[in-house]
Short mmCIF file of all heavy atoms in Angstrom, two decimals:
data_model
loop_
_atom_site.label_atom_id
_atom_site.label_comp_id
_atom_site.label_asym_id
_atom_site.label_seq_id
_atom_site.Cartn_x
_atom_site.Cartn_y
_atom_site.Cartn_z
N ALA A 25 -7.14 24.75 -0.71
CA ALA A 25 -6.05 25.12 0.20
C ALA A 25 -6.59 25.87 1.42
O ALA A 25 -6.18 25.63 2.56
CB ALA A 25 -5.03 25.98 -0.54
N ALA A 26 -7.55 26.79 1.17
CA ALA A 26 -8.14 27.54 2.28
C ALA A 26 -8.89 26.61 3.23
O ALA A 26 -8.81 26.77 4.46
CB ALA A 26 -9.08 28.61 1.73
N GLU A 27 -9.61 25.64 2.67
CA GLU A 27 -10.35 24.70 3.52
C GLU A 27 -9.42 23.84 4.35
O GLU A 27 -9.68 23.58 5.54
CB GLU A 27 -11.22 23.80 2.65
CG GLU A 27 -11.95 22.70 3.43
CD GLU A 27 -12.72 21.75 2.54
OE1 GLU A 27 -13.33 22.21 1.56
OE2 GLU A 27 -12.70 20.53 2.82
N LEU A 28 -8.31 23.40 3.76
CA LEU A 28 -7.41 22.47 4.43
C LEU A 28 -6.34 23.17 5.28
O LEU A 28 -5.60 22.51 5.99
CB LEU A 28 -6.71 21.60 3.38
CG LEU A 28 -7.63 20.70 2.55
CD1 LEU A 28 -6.86 20.07 1.39
CD2 LEU A 28 -8.26 19.62 3.42
N GLY A 29 -6.25 24.49 5.18
CA GLY A 29 -5.21 25.21 5.92
C GLY A 29 -3.83 24.99 5.33
O GLY A 29 -2.83 25.00 6.05
N MET A 30 -3.77 24.81 4.01
CA MET A 30 -2.51 24.59 3.31
C MET A 30 -2.27 25.74 2.33
O MET A 30 -3.17 26.52 2.03
CB MET A 30 -2.55 23.26 2.55
CG MET A 30 -2.80 22.04 3.40
SD MET A 30 -3.14 20.54 2.41
CE MET A 30 -1.59 20.37 1.48
N SER A 31 -1.06 25.81 1.82
CA SER A 31 -0.78 26.77 0.77
C SER A 31 -1.20 26.18 -0.57
O SER A 31 -1.20 24.96 -0.74
CB SER A 31 0.71 27.10 0.73
OG SER A 31 1.47 25.97 0.33
N PRO A 32 -1.58 27.02 -1.54
CA PRO A 32 -1.93 26.50 -2.86
C PRO A 32 -0.82 25.67 -3.49
O PRO A 32 -1.08 24.69 -4.19
CB PRO A 32 -2.24 27.77 -3.66
CG PRO A 32 -2.69 28.75 -2.63
CD PRO A 32 -1.84 28.47 -1.43
N SER A 33 0.42 26.05 -3.26
CA SER A 33 1.54 25.30 -3.82
C SER A 33 1.64 23.91 -3.21
O SER A 33 1.96 22.93 -3.91
CB SER A 33 2.85 26.05 -3.61
OG SER A 33 3.12 26.24 -2.22
N ALA A 34 1.32 23.80 -1.91
CA ALA A 34 1.35 22.48 -1.27
C ALA A 34 0.24 21.60 -1.81
O ALA A 34 0.42 20.39 -1.99
CB ALA A 34 1.22 22.64 0.25
N VAL A 35 -0.93 22.19 -2.07
CA VAL A 35 -2.03 21.44 -2.66
C VAL A 35 -1.65 20.97 -4.06
O VAL A 35 -1.87 19.81 -4.43
CB VAL A 35 -3.32 22.30 -2.71
CG1 VAL A 35 -4.39 21.62 -3.56
CG2 VAL A 35 -3.84 22.54 -1.30
N SER A 36 -1.08 21.86 -4.84
CA SER A 36 -0.65 21.50 -6.19
C SER A 36 0.38 20.39 -6.17
O SER A 36 0.34 19.46 -6.99
CB SER A 36 -0.07 22.74 -6.89
OG SER A 36 0.34 22.43 -8.19
N HIS A 37 1.30 20.45 -5.21
CA HIS A 37 2.32 19.41 -5.09
C HIS A 37 1.68 18.06 -4.75
O HIS A 37 2.06 17.03 -5.33
CB HIS A 37 3.33 19.79 -4.00
CG HIS A 37 4.32 18.71 -3.70
ND1 HIS A 37 5.38 18.40 -4.53
CD2 HIS A 37 4.40 17.84 -2.64
CE1 HIS A 37 6.07 17.40 -4.01
NE2 HIS A 37 5.50 17.05 -2.87
N ALA A 38 0.71 18.06 -3.85
CA ALA A 38 0.05 16.82 -3.46
C ALA A 38 -0.69 16.20 -4.65
O ALA A 38 -0.63 14.99 -4.87
CB ALA A 38 -0.91 17.08 -2.31
N VAL A 39 -1.38 17.04 -5.42
CA VAL A 39 -2.11 16.54 -6.59
C VAL A 39 -1.13 15.96 -7.60
O VAL A 39 -1.35 14.88 -8.16
CB VAL A 39 -2.95 17.66 -7.22
CG1 VAL A 39 -3.54 17.20 -8.55
CG2 VAL A 39 -4.07 18.09 -6.28
N ARG A 40 -0.03 16.68 -7.83
CA ARG A 40 0.95 16.21 -8.80
C ARG A 40 1.57 14.88 -8.38
O ARG A 40 1.79 13.98 -9.21
CB ARG A 40 2.04 17.27 -8.98
CG ARG A 40 3.04 16.95 -10.09
CD ARG A 40 3.89 18.16 -10.43
NE ARG A 40 4.63 18.67 -9.28
CZ ARG A 40 4.33 19.80 -8.64
NH1 ARG A 40 3.31 20.54 -9.04
NH2 ARG A 40 5.05 20.19 -7.61
N LEU A 41 1.82 14.73 -7.07
CA LEU A 41 2.41 13.48 -6.58
C LEU A 41 1.46 12.31 -6.81
O LEU A 41 1.88 11.23 -7.27
CB LEU A 41 2.73 13.61 -5.09
CG LEU A 41 3.47 12.44 -4.42
CD1 LEU A 41 4.36 12.95 -3.30
CD2 LEU A 41 2.49 11.40 -3.87
N VAL A 42 0.18 12.50 -6.51
CA VAL A 42 -0.79 11.42 -6.71
C VAL A 42 -0.91 11.08 -8.19
O VAL A 42 -0.98 9.91 -8.57
CB VAL A 42 -2.16 11.80 -6.12
CG1 VAL A 42 -3.21 10.73 -6.43
CG2 VAL A 42 -2.06 12.01 -4.61
N GLU A 43 -0.95 12.12 -9.03
CA GLU A 43 -1.03 11.87 -10.47
C GLU A 43 0.18 11.09 -10.98
O GLU A 43 0.04 10.20 -11.83
CB GLU A 43 -1.16 13.20 -11.21
CG GLU A 43 -2.52 13.88 -11.01
CD GLU A 43 -2.62 15.22 -11.71
OE1 GLU A 43 -1.58 15.91 -11.84
OE2 GLU A 43 -3.74 15.60 -12.12
N GLU A 44 1.35 11.39 -10.44
CA GLU A 44 2.55 10.67 -10.85
C GLU A 44 2.51 9.22 -10.41
O GLU A 44 2.90 8.32 -11.16
CB GLU A 44 3.79 11.36 -10.27
CG GLU A 44 4.09 12.72 -10.90
CD GLU A 44 5.23 13.44 -10.21
OE1 GLU A 44 5.71 12.93 -9.16
OE2 GLU A 44 5.64 14.51 -10.70
N ARG A 45 2.01 8.98 -9.20
CA ARG A 45 1.93 7.60 -8.69
C ARG A 45 0.91 6.79 -9.47
O ARG A 45 1.10 5.61 -9.72
CB ARG A 45 1.56 7.62 -7.21
CG ARG A 45 2.61 8.28 -6.32
CD ARG A 45 3.91 7.51 -6.28
NE ARG A 45 4.95 8.21 -5.56
CZ ARG A 45 5.12 8.15 -4.24
NH1 ARG A 45 4.31 7.40 -3.51
NH2 ARG A 45 6.09 8.83 -3.67
N ILE A 46 -0.20 7.43 -9.86
CA ILE A 46 -1.25 6.73 -10.60
C ILE A 46 -0.90 6.61 -12.08
O ILE A 46 -1.28 5.66 -12.76
CB ILE A 46 -2.60 7.45 -10.42
CG1 ILE A 46 -3.07 7.31 -8.97
CG2 ILE A 46 -3.67 6.88 -11.37
CD1 ILE A 46 -4.37 8.02 -8.69
N GLY A 47 -0.17 7.59 -12.58
CA GLY A 47 0.26 7.53 -13.97
C GLY A 47 -0.68 8.19 -14.94
O GLY A 47 -0.56 7.99 -16.16
N GLN A 48 -1.62 9.02 -14.45
CA GLN A 48 -2.51 9.75 -15.34
C GLN A 48 -3.09 10.95 -14.62
O GLN A 48 -3.15 10.97 -13.38
CB GLN A 48 -3.62 8.85 -15.88
CG GLN A 48 -4.40 8.08 -14.84
CD GLN A 48 -5.35 7.10 -15.49
OE1 GLN A 48 -6.06 7.43 -16.43
NE2 GLN A 48 -5.38 5.87 -14.99
N PRO A 49 -3.49 11.98 -15.37
CA PRO A 49 -4.01 13.20 -14.73
C PRO A 49 -5.36 12.97 -14.07
O PRO A 49 -6.19 12.21 -14.56
CB PRO A 49 -4.12 14.18 -15.89
CG PRO A 49 -4.27 13.33 -17.11
CD PRO A 49 -3.45 12.11 -16.83
N LEU A 50 -5.57 13.65 -12.96
CA LEU A 50 -6.84 13.57 -12.23
C LEU A 50 -7.71 14.80 -12.49
O LEU A 50 -8.93 14.73 -12.32
CB LEU A 50 -6.58 13.45 -10.72
CG LEU A 50 -5.76 12.24 -10.28
CD1 LEU A 50 -5.49 12.31 -8.78
CD2 LEU A 50 -6.49 10.95 -10.63
N PHE A 51 -7.08 15.90 -12.87
CA PHE A 51 -7.82 17.15 -13.11
C PHE A 51 -7.44 17.74 -14.45
O PHE A 51 -6.28 17.70 -14.86
CB PHE A 51 -7.52 18.18 -12.01
CG PHE A 51 -7.97 17.75 -10.64
CD1 PHE A 51 -7.07 17.18 -9.75
CD2 PHE A 51 -9.29 17.92 -10.24
CE1 PHE A 51 -7.48 16.78 -8.49
CE2 PHE A 51 -9.70 17.52 -8.98
CZ PHE A 51 -8.80 16.95 -8.10
N ALA A 52 -8.44 18.28 -15.12
CA ALA A 52 -8.21 19.06 -16.33
C ALA A 52 -8.17 20.52 -15.92
O ALA A 52 -9.16 21.05 -15.39
CB ALA A 52 -9.32 18.81 -17.34
N ARG A 53 -7.04 21.18 -16.14
CA ARG A 53 -6.84 22.53 -15.65
C ARG A 53 -6.84 23.54 -16.79
O ARG A 53 -6.21 23.33 -17.82
CB ARG A 53 -5.51 22.62 -14.89
CG ARG A 53 -5.33 21.60 -13.77
CD ARG A 53 -3.85 21.57 -13.37
NE ARG A 53 -3.55 20.70 -12.27
CZ ARG A 53 -3.35 19.39 -12.36
NH1 ARG A 53 -3.46 18.80 -13.54
NH2 ARG A 53 -3.04 18.68 -11.30
#
Side-chain angles (χ1 to χ4, degrees):
E27 176 185 320
L28 298 170
M30 301 170 61
S31 67
S33 61
V35 169
S36 180
H37 173 75
V39 171
R40 187 167 58 252
L41 186 148
V42 175
E43 289 178 329
E44 290 174 354
R45 296 293 174 86
I46 292 178
Q48 52 187 315
L50 300 176
F51 297 97
R53 306 165 177 83

